[in-house]
Amino acid sequence: MSKRIDMYKNATELYNHLLAVNNGLKHCSLPAELVELVFLRVSLINGCAYCIDKHSRDLLKSGMAIDKLVLVPVWHEAGQLFSPREQAALAWAEVVTHIGETAAPDADYQAAAAHFNEQEFSELTIAIALMNALNRMAISGRMTPQAAMA
């Protein structure tokens, strides 16, 4: 792979603003594990090795069972392993990540919004949007996953 421009080094202030949103999400009304779960699903959809590695590690550290973690890509086939609220968040993450194809239909919006209050739903959508942005930066910048550094 070719060496890429270090976006953090060359746009530190703007990058730090994105990281500030990420830090804000750590203190939002949503459970931290739900945010990390959504981060992982978005990263899986986008194929971001760096973020998949990071968020998988973070979920394992938080106590998520490996049996659940490995089924995140096929959560809709995992029965009751994911709670209805987690399923709603994962489904909305897919809709928003594929926004160019889905246009976020009313039925999908209503299905997801039924599981969250207005603040939580807004924070969830911000988390999804943020991870999509960070995935695009990590992929285009060829950020190396921790596992590949060992």
Side-chain angles (χ1 to χ4, degrees), residues 84 88-89 91-92 105-116 121:
W92 187 241
D106 288 344
D108 292 333
Y109 164 80
Q110 291 162 353
H115 293 273
F116 302 95
F121 187 82

Side-chain angles (χ1 to χ4, degrees), residues 57-124:
R57 289 174 189 277
D58 289 346
L59 284 164
L60 288 170
K61 284 180 200 166
S62 75
M64 179 174 281
I66 189 78
D67 294 347
K68 185 172 183 177
L69 180 73
V70 299
L71 291 178
V72 171
V74 291
W75 63 269
H76 45 80
E77 297 177 31
Q80 301 304 313
L81 188 58
F82 295 92
S83 71
R85 189 169 154 101
E86 289 172 330
Q87 291 177 30
L90 292 166
W92 187 241
E94 292 178 2
V95 167
V96 173
T97 298
H98 293 294
I99 197 91
E101 300 156 24
T102 68
D106 288 344
D108 292 333
Y109 164 80
Q110 291 162 353
H115 293 273
F116 302 95
N117 65 36
E118 290 181 3
Q119 179 182 349
E120 292 169 332
F121 187 82
S122 299
E123 292 168 347
L124 174 64

Side-chain angles (χ1 to χ4, degrees), residues 4 10 13-14 23-24 29 39-40 44 53-54 56 67 82 89-90 93 96 99 101 104-105 111 118 124 126 137:
R4 302 284 173 104
N10 290 285
E13 184 177 351
L14 292 174
N23 288 334
S29 63
F39 282 174
L40 177 58
L44 286 161
D53 181 77
K54 181 194 183 316
S56 294
D67 294 347
F82 295 92
L90 292 166
V96 173
I99 197 91
E101 300 156 24
E118 290 181 3
L124 174 64
I126 289 168
M137 292 175 67

